[in-house]
Amino acid sequence: MKRYLLGLLLCFAGNQVLAHGTVVHKNNTEVLQHGQQQPIATGPVLPFDLKLGGAFTLTDQTGAKRSEMNPDGHMQLLFFGYANCQSICSVALPLMADVVDDLAAHGLPLTPVMITVDPKRDTVAAMGPALKKHHSDFVGLTGSLPELQTAYDLYAVEQKVVFTDPELGDIFAHGSHIYLLDAKGKFLTLLPPILSADRIVQIVQKYANAGS
């Protein structure tokens, strides 16, 4: 059911555009089918309650165990992908890096995290150098298949090999959303990678201000 709901979502978080049925929420205004407008509540909210997130234990690129909680007390951007992905990861990972740098300039530390969907190639030794190409603060997480499956299930992520490229190896289909978590690993909202870095910065700042 969670995967079905995720597939239906068009946009998320606060003031984003959301279409459902005959009502469109745009720019803090509810636009009905006959053209009338009325204000709607503002703030960082989802269109319906998504039960995502929870406790997991994985291994980072240094070989240390790491849970959903950030040991430095920072909010987190979480993505499920793999280091040599040539499709959505090549958009999402640099986007996350840009958001981290933009927020750092505003005094808000944010940690980018990738949980691999390709543990055979994303080993402890291989993940670190690959992710550092995007940002020095990137955390890569891997683990045993049961440990990873726990994380996939918590965030309604499906992953499978769709074909094998002669040069790049296995090519995976996997989730494309970025998840915003607080420092304790609580899920806050979904961030589709079609959003600009500036828009994601605004959304993260709203959640940071709401939690302060």
Side-chain angles (χ1 to χ4, degrees):
M1 183 61 178
K2 287 192 294 186
R3 292 182 176 87
Y4 175 73
L5 293 175
L6 289 177
L8 291 179
L9 277 176
L10 299 180
C11 286
F12 320 89
N15 301 330
Q16 292 308 284
V17 180
L18 167 66
H20 52 94
T22 60
V23 179
V24 176
H25 290 176
K26 185 176 183 179
N27 298 329
N28 302 329
T29 302
E30 186 176 78
V31 184
L32 303 181
Q33 191 174 34
H34 49 74
Q36 293 180 334
Q37 298 186 359
Q38 63 185 54
I40 62 172
T42 60
V45 295
L46 287 170
F48 44 79
D49 188 22
L50 288 176
K51 301 296 185 181
L52 298 177
F56 61 78
T57 300
L58 294 168
T59 304
D60 70 17
Q61 71 268 28
T62 71
K65 289 294 183 181
R66 190 178 181 113
S67 73
E68 73 284 355
M69 299 179 65
N70 188 306
D72 297 319
H74 300 164
M75 296 175 72
Q76 305 167 83
L77 289 179
L78 173 63
F79 182 74
F80 290 80
Y82 57 111
N84 72 333
C85 175
Q86 302 297 308
S87 55
I88 188 62
C89 303
S90 64
V91 174
L93 299 181
L95 175 62
M96 293 165 68
D98 288 343
V99 171
V100 169
D101 285 340
D102 289 350
L103 285 169
H106 290 85
L108 180 58
L110 183 69
T111 300
V113 181
M114 187 197 77
I115 295 179
T116 185
V117 298
D118 183 11
K120 289 184 179 180
R121 287 180 292 183
D122 283 344
T123 62
V124 169
M127 278 192 304
L131 292 175
K132 275 192 174 183
K133 293 178 182 178
H134 299 288
H135 199 284
S136 60
D137 291 343
F138 244 110
V139 175
L141 297 179
T142 187
S144 67
L145 293 180
E147 288 171 337
L148 287 167
Q149 191 62 54
T150 294
Y152 302 156
D153 291 343
L154 288 171
Y155 290 92
V157 170
E158 293 182 343
Q159 52 83 30
K160 64 178 180 179
V161 177
V162 289
F163 67 92
T164 300
D165 184 276
E167 295 182 3
L168 299 175
D170 289 343
I171 304 300
F172 285 80
H174 58 88
S176 62
H177 295 300
I178 300 167
Y179 303 79
L180 178 63
L181 312 181
D182 67 13
K184 294 182 179 179
K186 178 184 177 183
F187 166 75
L188 299 176
T189 195
L190 286 166
L191 301 165
I194 59 170
L195 297 180
S196 68
D198 288 343
R199 184 65 187 117
I200 294 177
V201 165
Q202 292 172 356
I203 295 170
V204 175
Q205 287 174 322
K206 285 185 177 182
Y207 277 94
N209 293 335
S212 59

